[in-house]
Structure formats: structure tokens, C-alpha cells
Amino acid sequence: MTTESTAPDERVPEGPPLGEEKSAPPRLGSARALAWRRRRQSAARFWREYRRHRAGLAGLGLLLLFAAVALTAPWTVGSDVQSVTDAPGRPMEEPSAEFPFGTDQFGRSLFGLVLWGSRVSLLVGLLAAALSVAIGALVGITAGHFKGWYATVIMRVTDWFLVMPALVFAVALATVMERSLLTVIVAIGVTAWPTTARLVRAQTLAVESRPYIERAKALGGGHRHIMSRHVLPNVMPLVLAQTTLGISSAILTEATLAFLGLGDPSLTSWGGLLQDARQAGAVSSGHWWYLVPPGLAIALVALAFTLCGRAVESVLNPRLGVAR
């Protein structure tokens, strides 16, 4: 007598037909490609938000115009515009079709001098602001991370720089150092960093209190790893906004130092033009065309950087509620 098996039927899954292979799963991009894709998406999202600020777009347009003027100055006006011996016009000539901004006391075209001076003023503003923000970010991150006696000492030094008039300190440095473009950049950079240091330290303390910082320390993350991989990316938006706001202040400080005769006399800048106008007696003699173009250029570029900085700050921190 035969017995039938009550075990359920076991079915063998059918494989692919002969001659065909199973398709491999789609390959994911590398970590670097994924990181770049995320950066592009973040940049696109930032630009979408930035375009909603009409004041920021106006400031950006002005900056692009000044940048184009500064970059093309060697071809549009040439370096000969600074020459005193080959001046094409008469001294203190009023604005005309040949000289739109008039001439200076040597007969040089003020239009060409203003265009050429934009190179020095913008360069000093950018480099001095970058130096001050770099110092402030370094001081702020280290003071917020290490705390203890180091933070106490470094923040008291910061407070000392903060209460000292930055312009007076910059004038003192520019006086005792050699008169050059590097001196102006250093004098501005080492006096304008305390505000950035204060802001970055506050942001660093907020980041250090988050739980993932504790997990990173528990997993063996050292000081350098915590500051460079976790703290710095979180304070970079603040640093970027502070940089755009600091450039306008740096340009104004450079113009002030040049007006006081502490700039490089061999270079043409907007502040240097104002100082030349003062020495030539343009104020007392009523030669307004010697004063208005460089002064207006300084005001416009400072306004443009301020508008861009406010827009960037509003995009990176929507809680500020800056009017669009």
C-alpha cells in the first residue's frame, strides 16, 4: 500500500531564458558626484531665493558693471591715462564731449582716471574684507570650540579691538608701515575682524550644542575634525554674508586712508583722486567735477555691496524678515 506525501509542492523559480543574463542593478554615482550634485542644487535654490530680492538684484547689477569697468580698463582707457607728461587736455577743464568728467590739475581725463581707479579700490576692498573675515572666522570658531581660559583671553582681546576706533588704528598702522597697497590691505584687515569674530563665536556655540557633535566626539572625532567638518560648514553662510557687508566698509576705509595721504602715491584710486582734488583746491575754487565722479563711484559701489549683503543675509537666514 503506497502512501502519498502530504508535503507541499516545492517549486523551483524559473531562471532567465538561455542566452540572457540578469541585468545588473543601476550603479549609483560616486560620493564626489553626489556631493557636487547637491552643491549645484543648493546653488540653484539660493539663486531662486536671491532673485526675489529686487534690491539685491539691483546691487548685483551695479557690481557687475563696476567689475566689467575694472577688468576692461587696460583696453578702454589704457595705463597712459595716469601719465602727467602726456596729459591730453588743459588743467581744470570743465566737462565736455571730449572729457565727460573734465580734467584734473595736470590736464588728465578724470573719466579715464575714475575708470582706472576702480581697479585699486575694488581690489583693496575685496582683499581687505577677505583678510578681516578670515581672521574673525578663525578667532570665532576656535574661541567657541575650545572655551575655557583660551576663549576668555581671546575674547577679551577681541573686545579691546572692538572698542578701539578702527579708523584710528588703521591710520596708525598705515603711518608706521611702508606706504604701499599691501599696507593698506593689512591695516584694514587687522582692524575690522572683531565683529565677525563675535558673530561666528555665537554661531559656533550654537552648533557645538547639537547632539551630532557629541556623537562625533564619542566616535573619536578630534578638534580639527569637529571644527573643519561640522562647525565650519554651518558658519559659512554667516561668513559669506559678513564678507559681502564688509567689502563696502573696506572700500570706504581705503578711500579715507587715501584721502588722508596714507595710500600708495604711485597708484590711482578713488580716494587718491579726492585727495588730489583737495590738494588742488577744488573745493574752494568750485571745481565740482573733480570731486563728484570719484565720490559718487565710492558711494555707488558701497551701496551695491550693502544691497547684495543684505539680500544674501536674508536668503541664508529667512527669519530676519528683510523686506524684498
Side-chain angles (χ1 to χ4, degrees), residues 37-208:
R37 184 163 63 251
R38 289 179 176 175
R39 292 191 184 103
R40 287 194 298 268
Q41 292 173 353
S42 178
R45 185 167 55 253
F46 173 84
W47 176 241
R48 284 196 304 269
E49 293 294 327
Y50 187 91
R51 285 186 301 177
R52 299 180 182 179
H53 298 262
R54 286 177 289 183
L57 288 177
L60 182 61
L62 274 176
L63 288 183
L64 292 177
L65 176 62
F66 278 108
V69 166
L71 292 175
T72 59
W75 297 277
T76 55
V77 296
S79 59
D80 294 339
V81 72
Q82 304 177 90
S83 175
V84 177
T85 57
D86 298 331
R90 295 174 300 175
M92 294 298 186
E93 190 174 345
E94 294 186 2
S96 60
E98 184 179 2
F99 303 107
F101 293 169
T103 61
D104 65 353
Q105 72 269 33
F106 303 111
R108 299 179 297 178
S109 173
L110 282 174
F111 178 76
L113 290 175
V114 170
L115 295 187
W116 190 264
S118 63
R119 298 168 60 86
V120 175
S121 296
L122 291 177
L123 179 63
V124 170
L126 291 171
L127 294 181
L131 176 61
S132 65
V133 169
I135 296 174
L138 179 62
V139 171
I141 292 176
T142 54
H145 176 77
F146 289 107
K147 305 179 181 65
W149 67 267
Y150 172 80
T152 302
V153 172
I154 201 67
M155 295 314 296
R156 296 297 78 78
V157 174
T158 302
D159 292 339
W160 183 80
F161 275 94
L162 197 60
V163 298
M164 175 173 289
L167 181 59
V168 175
F169 194 23
V171 169
L173 288 178
T175 302
V176 300
M177 297 173 66
E178 182 185 0
R179 293 178 61 184
S180 64
L181 191 64
L182 179 61
T183 298
V184 175
I185 294 172
V186 172
I188 298 173
V190 300
T191 57
W193 59 268
T195 303
T196 303
R198 277 286 181 184
L199 294 174
V200 172
R201 179 178 179 269
Q203 183 69 14
T204 302
L205 291 175
V207 173
E208 292 268 354

Side-chain angles (χ1 to χ4, degrees), residues 307-322:
L307 292 176
C308 289
R310 294 301 181 189
V312 170
E313 194 176 22
S314 177
V315 171
L316 297 178
N317 190 3
R319 291 176 297 178
L320 293 175
V322 178

Side-chain angles (χ1 to χ4, degrees), residues 214-237:
E214 296 295 332
R215 290 195 294 267
K217 292 179 180 178
L219 292 173
H223 297 296
R224 182 178 178 181
H225 175 82
I226 298 297
M227 289 188 292
S228 62
R229 296 299 182 90
H230 298 289
V231 177
L232 183 60
N234 283 279
V235 303
M236 276 304 295

